[in-house]
Every structure is written in structure tokens, then in C-alpha cells.
């Protein structure tokens, strides 16, 4: 019976994905229909390579900061080593970059399960982290429509509306963490609400939020470095707005590594900022590569390593096995304090 229901859902998901990818391709064609191929080639040949290296290094620093946010969110109930969580971060990012369904979070669920972290708690923390990240990006972008000249009037309402929505959603999650009667909820919802425990710890909530905000700021700094590498003279506020549009477009399901939707968000926002199509496309491609390639290069070998360990030890719950391929006794805490 479940298989009968699953088949139409899979077909519908495929239809939606194909439509979104088709829409993305058409949008890119529309925005770039006046592209001068020679100008685009010249733009790439004049790239300041040292600034691109700086952007790549900022990407790696951002992963360290994001792993740090997981350390804060998981503690004090669960305390996997920080170095292992950093490896998990790279592996999860690599999986999301090469799979159409953003399988990195599924891989994270599995990896943290082998650290003794229940799936419901990890799922709740994933939702919280994404919500906090979106709210932080919204806060960074709130002032940009007012300080960047020449923008259409609707951009102000769009930025304020999306930012307010994320802040309200985060507020609802905080209220849920404090007030929801977890013991009266179904098992899965109980686990999800229980996973919001760190919201009740003001210090940890503030620390994790600050780390996530710093991660967003590092992404914006990397975007600014790529802009400067391409000799695009936009202000910091304008660059933040571009990153905001990219993050919004990446919410839509599409190809692996958000290929296409990422470029649409970047090129469209840059067109609003009166950047030439050749420079806009150059930025979209280079910034996207800066976001994806370092994570794949570092994370893919780790991902393959974890999967090979899984095949060798299909029933293990030993965090030492996952992290170091050893057979040390389990050192995990109970699912519930």
C-alpha cells in the first residue's frame, strides 16, 4: 500500500523538479540573452587570482565556523570531538554538492546517529540552524535597499518581508521549545521538540547564533573578494544583497549543488545593480565554484571513507569507528538526559 502511494509522489516530485530546472534554464537565457561572448572571455582573463585564493580560504574558514556552531548546539548532551564534527561538515557539504536531493543532511543524520545523537534531535537542529542562518542573512540585508541607490521599489518590501518571515519562524520555534508539552506529542514530534533543547540555554543559543552569523558574514566577504577579483566595483551593502538573493534562490529544489538556481539569483540581482551580463555571469560562476569545489575536494574523500566504514561495520554505533576506523568501546550518552 505504501509503495502504491509512493509511486505517484515520486512522479510528482520528478515533474516539479523538471519544471523548476526548465524554468531556471529559461531564466538564465532571458537574463543573458545579450551576453557578449568576447567580453565574457575578457572578463575571465582579467581575473585577479590572488583574490580568488583569498575567497577559497574564506570558504574553508566558514566551514570551521559552521562546525563550531554544531559543537555549541549539540552540547552539553552530546559532545562529539570538534575535529570529527568538522570532517562531518565537509562530508555533508560534499554530499549536498553532488546529489540532486541535497543528501548531505541525510548523511549528517547518519553520521551523528553513530555518535549517539537521535535522528529527531539532529533533524531539529538542522531545521534550527537553517532558520537561524536565514534570519541572520535577513538581518544583514535589511539595510541594503536603503543604502544601495537605483534599486526598484519592490526590492525593499521583498527583503523586509523575507527577513521578517524568517525572524517570526525563529520566534515560533523558540516559543515551541519553551512551551510545547513534549511528553504529550507523538514520538517523532517529541524527538523534534526535544531537539530544540539548546534554545532554552540562552548562552548556547546566543553563541550558536553568533557563530552562524559570522559564517554568513564570511560568505559575504568571500563574495566581495570574488567581486574585486573581477573588478566589479560594488559596495559591501550591494554584495550582501547579492548573497541574500542567492540564498533565497537556493531554497528552490533543482540540480545538484543548486546549479542554475544559484546563477539565476546572482545574475538577476546583479542586473538590478546595473552590472554588465558578462561580469554578472563571471561572478556567478566563480563564486559558485568557490562555494562548491573546496568542499567537494576536501569532503568527498571523507564521505567515501565514512561509506566504506559503514559497509565494513553495518551495525556499529561506535563513534570511534566512524571517526578513526577503530574498535574502541562506545562512549556516547543516552538519548535522553
Amino acid at each position: 500500500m505504501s509503495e502504491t502511494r509512493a509511486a505517484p509522489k515520486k512522479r510528482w516530485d520528478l515533474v516539479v523538479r523538471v519544471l523548476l530546472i526548465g524554468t531556471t534554464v529559461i531564466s538564465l537565457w532571458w537574463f543573458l540573452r545579450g551576453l557578449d561572448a568576447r567580453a565574457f572571455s575578457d572578463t575571465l582573463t582579467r581575473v585577479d587570482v590572488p583574490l580568488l585564493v583569498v575567497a577559497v580560504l574564506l570558504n574553508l574558514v566558514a566551514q570551521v565556523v559552521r562546525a563550531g556552531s554544531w559543537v555549541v548546539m549539540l552540547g552539553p548532551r552530546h559532545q562529539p570531538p570538534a575535529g570529527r564534527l568538522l570532517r562531518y561538515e565537509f562530508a555533508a557539504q560534499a554530499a549536498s554538492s553532488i546529489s540532486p536531493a541535497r543528501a548531505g543532511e541525510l548523511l549528517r543524520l547518519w553520521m551523528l546517529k553513530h555518535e549517539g545523537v537521535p535522528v529527531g534531535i539532529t533533524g531539529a537542529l538542522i531545521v534550527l540552524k537553517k532558520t537561524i542562518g536565514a534570519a541572520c542573512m535577513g538581518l544583514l540585508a535589511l539595510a541594503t535597499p536603503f543604502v544601495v541607490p537605483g534599486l526598484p521599489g519592490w526590492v525593499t518590501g521583498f527583503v523586509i518581508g523575507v527577513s521578517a518571515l524568517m525572524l517570526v519562524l525563529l520566534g515560533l520555534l523558540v516559543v515551541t521549545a519553551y512551551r510545547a508539552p513534549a511528553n504529550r506529542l507523538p514520538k517523532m514530534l517529541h524527538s523534534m521538540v526535544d531537539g530544540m533543547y539548546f534554545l532554552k540555554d540562552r548562552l548556547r543559543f546566543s553563541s550558536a547564533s553568533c557563530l552562524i552569523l559570522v559564517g554568513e558574514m564570511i560568505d559575504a566577504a568571500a563574495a566581495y573578494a570574488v567581486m574585486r577579483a573581477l573588478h566589479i566595483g560594488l559596495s559591501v551593502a550591494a554584495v550582501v544583497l547579492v548573497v541574500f538573493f542567492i540564498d533565497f534562490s537556493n531554497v528552490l529544489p533543482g540540480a545538484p549543488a543548486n546549479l542554475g538556481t544559484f546563477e539565476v539569483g546572482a545574475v538577476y540581482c546583479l542586473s538590478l545593480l546595473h552590472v554588465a551580463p558578462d561580469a554578472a555571469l563571471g561572478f556567478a560562476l566563480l563564486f559558485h565554484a568557490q562555494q562548491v569545489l573546496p568542499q567537494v575536494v576536501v569532503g568527498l574523500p571523507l564521505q567515501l571513507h565514512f561509506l566504506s566504514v559503514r559497509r565494513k561495520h553495518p551495525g556499529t554505533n561506535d563513534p570511534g569507528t566512524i571517526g578513526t576506523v577503530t574498535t574502541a568501546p562506545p562512549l556516547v550518552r543516552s538519548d535522553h538526559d
Side-chain angles (χ1 to χ4, degrees):
M1 188 71 176
S2 59
E3 293 181 359
T4 305
R5 293 177 180 176
K9 183 179 183 300
K10 288 182 178 179
R11 286 196 294 269
W12 175 247
D13 289 345
L14 179 62
V15 169
V16 171
R17 190 172 295 277
V18 169
L19 287 174
L20 285 171
I21 291 175
T23 303
T24 300
V25 172
I26 293 172
S27 299
L28 277 175
W29 170 80
W30 178 260
F31 294 137
L32 299 173
R33 63 191 186 281
L35 178 68
D36 185 333
R38 179 174 294 179
F40 175 65
S41 177
D42 291 342
T43 297
L44 295 182
T45 57
R46 292 186 288 105
V47 169
D48 191 336
V49 175
L51 282 173
L52 290 182
V53 173
V54 170
V56 170
L57 292 176
L58 287 171
N59 179 302
L60 299 177
V61 172
Q63 304 316 310
V64 175
V65 172
R66 291 186 175 107
S69 69
W70 277 100
V71 173
V72 175
M73 290 190 300
L74 286 169
R77 289 192 187 182
H78 307 280
Q79 298 177 341
R84 194 176 297 162
L85 287 175
L86 178 58
R87 297 199 296 272
Y88 291 173
E89 183 67 29
F90 275 110
Q93 296 288 353
S96 292
S97 296
I98 63 176
S99 65
R102 299 178 184 175
E105 302 305 348
L106 294 177
L107 180 62
R108 194 192 303 276
L109 289 170
W110 173 77
M111 291 185 296
L112 288 179
K113 181 181 179 182
H114 285 74
E115 298 285 354
V117 185
V119 169
I121 288 179
T122 303
L125 293 179
I126 289 172
V127 172
L128 286 172
K129 187 174 182 298
K130 290 184 179 299
T131 304
I132 294 171
C136 288
M137 193 66 237
L139 287 174
L140 290 175
L142 270 177
T144 59
F146 302 100
V147 297
V148 177
L151 289 172
W154 65 265
V155 174
T156 302
F158 175 72
V159 173
I160 292 175
V162 172
S163 303
L165 178 63
M166 291 299 102
L167 290 170
V168 168
L169 178 58
L170 180 58
L172 290 175
L173 292 174
V174 172
V175 171
T176 300
Y178 274 93
R179 297 183 177 275
N183 56 340
R184 300 179 186 176
L185 296 172
K187 184 177 180 181
M188 185 60 189
L189 289 179
H190 172 277
S191 185
M192 287 289 289
V193 172
D194 188 44
M196 299 179 187
Y197 60 87
F198 98 100
L199 291 178
K200 301 177 184 179
D201 186 327
R202 293 181 181 178
L203 179 59
R204 288 186 176 274
F205 180 32
S206 301
S207 299
S209 298
C210 287
L211 285 170
I212 293 169
L213 175 61
V214 170
E216 298 294 339
M217 293 172 67
I218 292 173
D219 279 345
Y224 186 77
V226 175
M227 291 273 191
R228 288 300 178 184
L230 289 165
H231 310 287
I232 300 174
L234 293 180
S235 65
V236 173
V239 173
V240 169
L241 186 65
V242 173
V243 176
F244 177 86
F245 268 78
I246 292 172
D247 284 354
F248 180 82
S249 64
N250 283 346
V251 173
L252 300 173
N258 297 307
L259 185 64
T261 53
F262 188 106
E263 283 72 21
V264 166
V267 170
Y268 178 62
C269 187
L270 287 170
S271 70
L272 296 178
L273 296 166
H274 312 291
V275 175
D278 56 280
L281 180 60
F283 168 79
L285 294 176
L286 289 178
F287 185 50
H288 199 173
Q290 177 271 344
Q291 291 275 291
V292 172
L293 292 181
Q295 298 167 4
V296 171
V297 170
V298 178
L300 187 57
L302 293 171
Q303 182 188 153
L304 295 175
H305 164 70
F306 295 139
L307 294 177
S308 68
V309 170
R310 176 61 175 168
R311 286 195 294 270
K312 292 178 182 177
H313 307 275
T316 183
N317 283 318
D318 178 6
T321 301
I322 300 300
T324 59
V325 199
T326 66
T327 55
L331 297 172
V332 298
R333 300 186 176 204
S334 169
D335 289 356
H336 302 284
D337 288 342

